[in-house]
């Protein structure tokens, strides 16, 4: 691809990166003489209407946005099979690379980046666009730390900032919201959850949830409470930790109402930091003495404690608060009271939480909630619901899906066991697959957590070859998540069925001519020495004579390269045996066997109706006998004579 020019305008210079759907190149806009980023749909997806539609959707979605923190889309084009977007070329790195390089970021730097991301989300949400995939990989940083949000490839255009994607998970597992993990309703607040996860990672250098697979990470988003950021990085101020915890609340109602609210909160915290920094520069506290800069006292009028004007301004450059003896008594009383309160608190805490028996947690996974409460009560434990429940294909509704601590662990009786209740299998409606190809059906079923089951094939005069005739369960019927849909696939219109002629013993050229005359095609041809056929004669055919197969089918032939028994070759004789199939009440299997110096061989075997005439050509060496079987019963035998 390097050096290729698309539409006589965009010359590809180098590859910048690859994604699941597209490859990004750096290119030169020959018309405007500037560097651009060219995002090209992968070749394997150019004929997939769904991917092309999604690719073009990204351009339309971002083209509606005009903001310094959103990557600009300049153009969208197609050159033969190449589908591409032309975007602003950002020189810098993505946020993920910065976090890997630095570990965790400075608090103010992290807040500034989060503020710019939220600003981009404000303009997106105002245009009824939900990004759905906010993550550090999609946050580009220029050299002067300006944020550019990119990759709106799975963004959704919505009305009233609300959207439902039934049983479809979109986004990246470490950053998507619980509602995305459940495949439920997605609102603008889902982007704010993802931004909260990104801010968590910037401040700590870690994502809150990790797992062996995307599914395990998704379940943690739904079920588990993240570790507080200050447990990883103690330098994080409490007000910033509260901001992060609010952003990543599992209940969308507990998060910020809009991206603008979150941006304002971040701005407020940054202002506090700025004011504190200014205060630390302008004034320094030393015990009870406040040292004030002379510049702040210039042209000011100072009054003494009785309200009189100062006679000597220098006298007030330092002001000392007189200390009273009674203040020491107050401090002693206060310290004594605090010690007493702390002692009483420790005593109560010990009696309530520590001076209790240690018990073994019962294994309650799979139990219904009523039995689980009884089981927990027997050892003095209580159950605590973690969330509203999660669908599971195997655990019945109302039974426990997971618990923490796990069964077998030993804990004090005061500790609650957090549980998640199964909502049972997800009930879906079977989509209508009739008329679709297998590839199209797989895309639809994969989006609904379903899959194809048994595939049968039938001829159809109305449904084109390769498309689905019928399905089971039928369209509209209820099915469980991860169930299979069985289909019947069309083989096209039923072809004309023709009997295969007997070409054994014919010269190769005559055999090919006879096949073409009967509207068959020649398949593969092999050669080998045989016992019954001379050089260039047909020794085997892939379909038995008399078999009915579709018109136009290919028939493979084996051509003899001469007799195996060359010593007796001069003694060989050529024969054409004719046989009349006797009358009967049903179709019969006729088999003709030859015995000579080359051994015993079945020359002919096929189905025939009563009254059919059979003609078999062969060569034999030495004295020759024949046997004829009908339905595996010997009906005739004798010597072959000239």
């Amino acid at each position: 691809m390097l050096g290729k020019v698309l539409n006589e305008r965009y010359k590809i210079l180098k590859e910048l990166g690859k994604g699941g759907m597209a490859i990004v190149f750096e290119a030169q806009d020959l018309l405007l003489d500037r560097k651009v980023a060219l995002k090209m749909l992968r070749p394997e997806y150019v004929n997939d209407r769904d991917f092309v539609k999604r690719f073009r959707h990204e351009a339309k979605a971002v083209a509606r946005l005009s903001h310094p923190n959103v990557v600009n889309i300049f153009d969208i084009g197609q050159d033969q099979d190449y589908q591409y977007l032309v975007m602003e070329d950002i020189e810098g790195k993505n946020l993920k690379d910065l976090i890997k390089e630095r570990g965790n970021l400075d608090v103010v730097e992290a807040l500034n980046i989060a503020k710019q991301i939220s600003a981009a989300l404000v303009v997106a949400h105002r245009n009824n666009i939900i990004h759905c995939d906010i993550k550090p990989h999609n946050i580009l940083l220029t050299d002067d730390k300006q944020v550019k949000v990119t990759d709106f490839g799975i963004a959704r255009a919505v009305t009233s900032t609300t959207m439902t994607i039934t049983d479809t998970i979109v986004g990246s597992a470490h950053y998507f919201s619980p509602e995305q993990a459940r495949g439920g309703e997605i609102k603008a607040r889902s982007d704010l959850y993802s931004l909260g996860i990104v801010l968590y990672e910037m401040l700590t250098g870690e994502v809150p949830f990790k797992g062996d697979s995307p599914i395990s990470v998704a379940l943690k988003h739904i079920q588990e409470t993240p570790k507080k950021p200050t447990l990883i990085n103690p330098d994080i101020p409490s007000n910033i930790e509260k901001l992060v915890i609010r952003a990543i609340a599992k209940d969308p109602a507990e998060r910020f109402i809009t991206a603008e609210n979150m941006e304002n909160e971040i701005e407020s915290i940054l202002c506090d930091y700025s004011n504190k920094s200014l205060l630390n520069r302008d004034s320094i506290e030393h015990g009870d003495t406040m040292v004030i800069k002379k510049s702040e006292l210039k042209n000011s009028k100072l009054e003494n404690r009785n309200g009189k004007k100062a006679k000597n301004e220098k006298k007030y450059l330092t002001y000392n608060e007189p200390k009273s003896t009674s203040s020491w008594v107050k401090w002693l009383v206060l310290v004594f009271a605090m010690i007493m309160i702390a002692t009483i608190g420790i005593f109560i805490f010990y009696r309530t939480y520590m001076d209790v028996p240690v018990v073994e947690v019962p294994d309650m996974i799979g139990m219904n909630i009523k039995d689980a409460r009884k089981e927990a009560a027997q050892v003095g434990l209580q159950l605590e619901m973690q969330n509203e429940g999660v669908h599971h294909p195997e655990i019945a509704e109302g039974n426990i899906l997971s618990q923490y601590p796990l069964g077998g662990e030993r804990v004090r009786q005061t500790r609650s066991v957090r549980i998640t209740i199964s909502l049972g299998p997800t009930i879906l409606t079977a989509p209508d697959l009739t008329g679709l190809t297998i590839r199209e059906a797989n895309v639809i079923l994969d989006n609904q957590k379903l899959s194809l089951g048994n595939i049968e094939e039938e001829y159809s005069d109305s449904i084109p070859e390769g498309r689905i005739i019928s399905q089971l369960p039928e369209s509209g019927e209820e099915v469980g998540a991860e169930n299979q849909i069985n289909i019947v696939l069309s083989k096209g219109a039923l072809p004309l069925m023709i009997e295969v002629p007997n070409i054994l013993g014919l010269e190769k050229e005559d055999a090919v001519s006879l096949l073409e005359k009967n509207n068959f095609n020649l398949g593969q041809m092999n050669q080998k020495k045989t016992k019954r056929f001379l050089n260039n004669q047909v020794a085997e055919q892939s379909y038995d004579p008399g078999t009915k197969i579709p018109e136009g089918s290919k028939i493979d032939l084996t051509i003899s390269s001469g007799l195996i028994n060359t010593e007796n070759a001069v003694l060989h004789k050529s024969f054409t045996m004719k046989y009349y199939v006797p009358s009967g009440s049903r179709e019969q299997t006729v088999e003709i066997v030859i015995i000579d110096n080359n051994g015993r061989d079945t020359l002919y075997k096929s189905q025939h109706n009563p009254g059919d005439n059979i003609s078999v050509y062969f060569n034999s060496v030495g004295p020759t006998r024949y046997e004829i079987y009908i339905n595996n019963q010997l009906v005739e035998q004798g010597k072959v004579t000239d």
Side-chain angles (χ1 to χ4, degrees):
M1 289 296 296
L2 300 186
K4 184 174 182 62
V5 178
L6 299 177
N7 288 328
E8 300 182 353
R9 178 172 179 178
Y10 301 109
K11 182 177 181 180
I12 296 176
L13 302 179
K14 63 180 179 180
E15 183 179 305
L16 296 178
K18 294 181 179 180
M21 186 175 73
I23 303 172
V24 180
F25 298 96
E26 183 179 72
Q28 181 73 21
D29 185 342
L30 302 178
L31 180 62
L32 299 179
D33 192 23
R34 65 179 178 183
K35 294 280 181 62
V36 294
L38 192 143
K39 184 173 184 178
M40 183 180 295
L41 188 64
R42 283 180 174 272
E44 57 263 37
Y45 299 133
V46 294
N47 295 319
D48 191 312
R49 288 180 298 175
D50 181 64
F51 275 93
V52 174
K53 181 179 178 182
R54 174 175 159 185
F55 190 69
R56 289 180 171 270
H57 167 76
E58 175 179 0
K60 292 179 181 178
V62 185
R64 292 163 54 187
L65 309 179
S66 178
H67 193 271
N69 296 125
V70 177
V71 172
N72 289 320
I73 295 288
F74 297 143
D75 191 11
I76 179 170
Q78 179 177 357
D79 187 346
Q80 298 178 350
D81 287 337
Y82 301 112
Q83 298 269 356
Y84 62 87
L85 307 179
V86 181
M87 306 183 298
E88 179 182 4
D89 187 21
I90 307 299
E91 292 191 6
K93 62 180 69 174
N94 68 44
L95 181 56
K96 190 67 176 180
D97 292 337
L98 183 64
I99 294 171
K100 286 181 179 178
E101 178 184 310
R102 301 253 298 271
N104 59 283
L105 308 186
D106 173 75
V107 169
V108 174
E109 183 180 13
L111 288 176
N112 274 316
I113 292 173
K115 179 178 178 294
Q116 294 183 69
I117 298 171
S118 60
L121 292 178
V122 168
V123 70
H125 294 170
R126 283 177 181 171
N127 284 274
N128 293 331
I129 295 173
I130 300 175
H131 190 286
C132 297
D133 199 17
I134 292 293
K135 59 183 179 181
H137 314 71
N138 292 336
I139 309 301
L140 303 181
L141 300 172
T142 64
D143 293 336
D144 58 357
K145 291 298 184 292
Q146 183 182 10
V147 165
K148 293 284 188 176
V149 178
T150 186
D151 203 349
F152 283 72
I154 62 172
R156 297 291 189 265
V158 294
T159 57
S160 303
T161 66
T162 303
M163 159 184 69
T164 301
I165 307 177
T166 306
D167 294 298
T168 302
I169 294 179
V170 294
S172 301
H174 288 96
Y175 303 94
F176 58 31
S177 62
E179 56 269 26
Q180 284 174 285
R182 286 192 294 268
E185 186 180 62
I186 297 180
K187 298 182 180 179
R189 293 185 183 184
S190 300
D191 281 346
L192 303 187
Y193 180 94
S194 300
L195 174 53
I197 298 293
V198 172
L199 182 54
Y200 185 109
E201 186 177 5
M202 285 194 287
L203 294 169
T204 65
E206 300 178 8
V207 289
F209 302 115
K210 300 176 183 177
D212 297 330
S213 68
I215 295 299
S216 65
V217 175
L219 286 174
K220 289 182 179 181
H221 278 286
I222 296 170
Q223 299 173 2
E224 294 189 6
T225 302
K227 184 186 294 185
K228 287 188 176 182
T230 49
L231 296 177
I232 304 173
N233 180 4
D235 295 333
I236 300 172
S238 60
N239 58 342
I240 297 177
E241 182 176 65
K242 288 178 182 177
L243 182 145
V244 175
I245 295 301
R246 181 179 177 186
I248 62 176
K250 301 207 180 292
D251 185 353
E254 296 178 6
R255 300 174 202 154
F256 291 96
I257 299 173
T258 63
E260 191 170 7
N261 293 140
M262 187 169 179
E263 182 186 12
N264 291 338
E265 182 68 20
I266 295 172
E267 177 69 28
S268 175
I269 295 174
L270 284 171
C271 285
D272 288 344
Y273 264 85
S274 177
N275 292 337
K276 287 179 181 178
S277 175
L278 181 62
L279 183 61
N280 288 336
R281 289 197 305 270
D282 291 348
S283 62
I284 307 170
E285 293 185 4
H286 296 289
D288 294 324
T289 302
M290 177 70 77
V291 180
I292 305 174
K293 292 173 67 177
K294 290 184 179 181
S295 59
E296 294 177 358
L297 293 176
K298 187 176 182 180
N299 299 324
S300 67
K301 295 180 180 180
L302 297 177
E303 296 183 357
N304 61 19
R305 301 185 66 181
N306 296 320
K308 296 181 180 180
K309 294 182 179 179
K311 293 181 180 179
N312 187 354
E313 193 174 86
K314 294 182 180 179
K315 176 181 177 182
Y316 293 97
L317 290 179
T318 59
Y319 169 70
N320 296 300
E321 181 71 28
K323 300 179 181 179
S324 66
T325 307
S326 60
S327 64
W328 290 102
V329 177
K330 293 178 181 178
W331 275 105
L332 286 174
V333 172
L334 180 61
V335 171
F336 179 76
M338 291 177 65
I339 292 174
M340 289 299 296
I341 292 171
T343 303
I344 295 170
I346 293 171
F347 177 76
I348 294 173
F349 176 82
Y350 178 79
R351 291 297 303 271
T352 305
Y353 295 99
M354 302 301 292
D355 191 20
V356 292
V358 175
V359 296
E360 183 176 309
V361 178
D363 185 0
M364 296 172 284
I365 294 177
M367 288 186 183
N368 64 58
I369 185 65
K370 186 176 180 181
D371 292 341
R373 289 191 190 281
K374 291 180 180 178
E375 190 80 13
Q378 288 182 1
V379 293
L381 297 174
Q382 292 183 338
L383 302 185
E384 176 188 341
M385 296 285 190
Q386 285 198 100
N387 48 49
E388 64 273 22
V390 178
H391 287 286
H392 193 278
E394 297 177 359
I395 298 181
E397 182 178 2
N399 290 1
I400 294 178
L401 173 62
S402 66
Q403 67 176 80
Y404 183 79
L406 299 174
E409 291 188 24
R410 297 183 64 80
V411 299
R412 297 188 182 277
Q413 281 184 336
T414 51
R415 185 166 180 180
S416 297
V417 179
R418 290 181 291 171
I419 60 170
T420 297
I421 301 299
S422 171
L423 299 179
T426 304
I427 302 301
L428 307 173
T429 300
D432 185 4
L433 305 179
T434 54
L436 302 180
T437 64
I438 287 183
R439 183 176 183 179
E440 292 168 340
N442 275 324
V443 171
I444 292 175
L445 294 178
D446 185 60
N447 284 337
Q448 298 195 20
K449 296 183 182 177
L450 299 170
S451 61
L452 284 179
N454 295 329
I455 301 176
E456 298 181 2
E457 292 186 321
E458 289 183 3
Y459 289 107
S460 172
D461 294 329
S462 58
I463 305 297
E465 182 180 1
R467 296 193 174 270
I468 296 172
I469 300 173
S470 61
Q471 65 183 78
L472 193 67
E474 295 181 355
S475 171
E477 291 186 10
E478 288 188 349
V479 294
E482 301 182 9
N483 278 14
Q484 293 185 329
I485 306 292
N486 300 323
I487 63 169
V488 177
L489 196 65
S490 173
K491 294 166 63 176
L494 181 67
L496 180 64
M497 305 299 285
I498 305 175
E499 285 190 3
V500 176
N502 182 13
I503 54 177
L504 295 175
L506 296 183
E507 295 289 324
K508 178 178 69 175
E509 294 75 15
D510 295 337
V512 172
S513 177
L514 184 58
L515 288 179
E516 292 175 349
K517 183 178 179 181
N518 283 273
N519 293 328
F520 292 113
N521 293 316
L522 178 64
Q524 295 182 347
M525 282 201 303
N526 300 312
Q527 276 195 328
K528 68 176 183 180
K529 287 187 177 293
T530 64
K531 295 179 181 180
R532 307 290 173 207
F533 299 97
L534 302 179
N535 184 49
N536 204 44
Q537 290 180 338
V538 177
E540 296 175 8
Q541 58 187 81
S542 55
Y543 292 95
D544 292 332
T547 305
K548 289 187 176 182
I549 61 174
E551 181 182 19
S553 296
K554 290 184 177 181
I555 298 178
D556 300 334
L557 302 180
T558 298
I559 307 300
S560 175
S561 58
L563 293 173
I564 292 175
N565 194 341
T566 55
E567 295 179 2
N568 297 325
V570 294
L571 303 176
H572 88 273
K573 295 180 181 180
S574 298
F575 297 97
T576 299
M577 176 178 289
K578 297 183 180 296
Y579 181 70
Y580 175 79
V581 180
S583 60
S585 59
R586 58 189 175 87
E587 192 176 58
Q588 303 171 36
T589 302
V590 178
E591 181 181 2
I592 299 176
V593 177
I594 296 298
I595 304 101
D596 67 355
N597 289 354
N598 279 336
R600 176 189 178 92
D601 292 301
T602 297
L603 286 186
Y604 183 88
K605 186 175 183 179
S606 186
Q607 299 286 329
H608 282 281
N609 294 315
D612 286 353
N613 285 304
I614 301 173
S615 180
V616 179
Y617 173 88
F618 65 93
N619 291 277
S620 67
V621 177
T624 305
R625 294 186 304 109
Y626 69 89
E627 294 176 350
I628 299 176
Y629 295 83
I630 295 181
N631 296 334
N632 296 323
Q633 298 292 322
L634 181 64
V635 296
E636 186 178 329
Q637 62 180 332
K639 293 182 179 180
V640 177
T641 58
D642 295 338

